[in-house]
PDB file of all heavy atoms in Angstrom:
ATOM      1  N   LYS A   8    -106.120-104.176  37.882  1.00 91.00           N
ATOM      2  CA  LYS A   8    -104.927-105.134  37.906  1.00 91.00           C
ATOM      3  C   LYS A   8    -104.754-105.773  36.550  1.00 91.00           C
ATOM      4  O   LYS A   8    -103.611-105.943  35.980  1.00 91.00           O
ATOM      5  CB  LYS A   8    -105.192-106.246  38.931  1.00 91.00           C
ATOM      6  CG  LYS A   8    -103.934-107.220  39.067  1.00 91.00           C
ATOM      7  CD  LYS A   8    -104.223-108.193  40.254  1.00 91.00           C
ATOM      8  CE  LYS A   8    -102.926-108.953  40.495  1.00 91.00           C
ATOM      9  NZ  LYS A   8    -103.074-109.702  41.683  1.00 91.00           N
ATOM     10  N   PHE A  11    -103.169-103.418  34.270  1.00 94.00           N
ATOM     11  CA  PHE A  11    -101.697-103.236  34.572  1.00 94.00           C
ATOM     12  C   PHE A  11    -100.913-104.432  34.068  1.00 94.00           C
ATOM     13  O   PHE A  11     -99.811-104.194  33.402  1.00 94.00           O
ATOM     14  CB  PHE A  11    -101.528-103.153  36.106  1.00 94.00           C
ATOM     15  CG  PHE A  11    -100.092-103.300  36.509  1.00 94.00           C
ATOM     16  CD1 PHE A  11     -99.294-102.239  36.372  1.00 94.00           C
ATOM     17  CD2 PHE A  11     -99.457-104.474  37.000  1.00 94.00           C
ATOM     18  CE1 PHE A  11     -97.980-102.202  36.721  1.00 94.00           C
ATOM     19  CE2 PHE A  11     -98.127-104.502  37.367  1.00 94.00           C
ATOM     20  CZ  PHE A  11     -97.377-103.421  37.258  1.00 94.00           C
ATOM     21  N   ALA A  26     -96.392-111.288  32.382  1.00 94.00           N
ATOM     22  CA  ALA A  26     -97.796-111.280  31.947  1.00 94.00           C
ATOM     23  C   ALA A  26     -98.319-112.673  31.457  1.00 94.00           C
ATOM     24  O   ALA A  26     -99.341-113.066  31.761  1.00 94.00           O
ATOM     25  CB  ALA A  26     -98.105-110.210  30.832  1.00 94.00           C
ATOM     26  N   ASN A  35    -107.385-114.496  31.023  1.00 93.00           N
ATOM     27  CA  ASN A  35    -107.987-113.215  30.740  1.00 93.00           C
ATOM     28  C   ASN A  35    -107.766-112.997  29.281  1.00 93.00           C
ATOM     29  O   ASN A  35    -106.536-112.968  28.807  1.00 93.00           O
ATOM     30  CB  ASN A  35    -107.489-112.181  31.645  1.00 93.00           C
ATOM     31  CG  ASN A  35    -108.284-110.833  31.360  1.00 93.00           C
ATOM     32  OD1 ASN A  35    -107.986-110.196  30.336  1.00 93.00           O
ATOM     33  ND2 ASN A  35    -109.108-110.529  32.319  1.00 93.00           N
ATOM     34  N   TYR A  57     -80.647-105.866  16.086  1.00 92.00           N
ATOM     35  CA  TYR A  57     -79.422-106.484  15.729  1.00 92.00           C
ATOM     36  C   TYR A  57     -78.945-106.110  14.316  1.00 92.00           C
ATOM     37  O   TYR A  57     -77.855-105.695  14.085  1.00 92.00           O
ATOM     38  CB  TYR A  57     -79.498-107.969  15.911  1.00 92.00           C
ATOM     39  CG  TYR A  57     -78.283-108.621  15.468  1.00 92.00           C
ATOM     40  CD1 TYR A  57     -77.123-108.642  16.230  1.00 92.00           C
ATOM     41  CD2 TYR A  57     -78.237-109.256  14.289  1.00 92.00           C
ATOM     42  CE1 TYR A  57     -75.913-109.105  15.749  1.00 92.00           C
ATOM     43  CE2 TYR A  57     -77.068-109.935  13.832  1.00 92.00           C
ATOM     44  CZ  TYR A  57     -75.898-109.943  14.559  1.00 92.00           C
ATOM     45  OH  TYR A  57     -74.666-110.515  14.170  1.00 92.00           O
ATOM     46  N   ILE A  80     -95.988 -97.687  22.207  1.00 96.00           N
ATOM     47  CA  ILE A  80     -96.951 -96.760  22.758  1.00 96.00           C
ATOM     48  C   ILE A  80     -98.279 -97.098  22.300  1.00 96.00           C
ATOM     49  O   ILE A  80     -99.305 -97.061  23.090  1.00 96.00           O
ATOM     50  CB  ILE A  80     -96.564 -95.349  22.413  1.00 96.00           C
ATOM     51  CG1 ILE A  80     -95.192 -95.092  23.203  1.00 96.00           C
ATOM     52  CG2 ILE A  80     -97.637 -94.371  22.753  1.00 96.00           C
ATOM     53  CD1 ILE A  80     -94.549 -93.775  22.797  1.00 96.00           C
ATOM     54  N   ALA A  86    -103.875-101.324  25.765  1.00 94.00           N
ATOM     55  CA  ALA A  86    -104.048-102.089  26.935  1.00 94.00           C
ATOM     56  C   ALA A  86    -104.641-101.278  27.996  1.00 94.00           C
ATOM     57  O   ALA A  86    -105.485-101.756  28.809  1.00 94.00           O
ATOM     58  CB  ALA A  86    -102.652-102.593  27.412  1.00 94.00           C
ATOM     59  N   THR A 110    -104.301-119.301  25.836  1.00 63.00           N
ATOM     60  CA  THR A 110    -105.605-120.039  25.512  1.00 63.00           C
ATOM     61  C   THR A 110    -105.788-121.177  26.500  1.00 63.00           C
ATOM     62  O   THR A 110    -104.949-121.683  27.112  1.00 63.00           O
ATOM     63  CB  THR A 110    -105.680-120.530  24.017  1.00 63.00           C
ATOM     64  OG1 THR A 110    -104.520-121.514  23.765  1.00 63.00           O
ATOM     65  CG2 THR A 110    -105.686-119.393  23.120  1.00 63.00           C
TER      66      THR A 110
END
Side-chain angles (χ1 to χ4, degrees):
K8 185 173 188 174
F11 172 75
N35 185 285
Y57 174 76
I80 291 170
T110 58

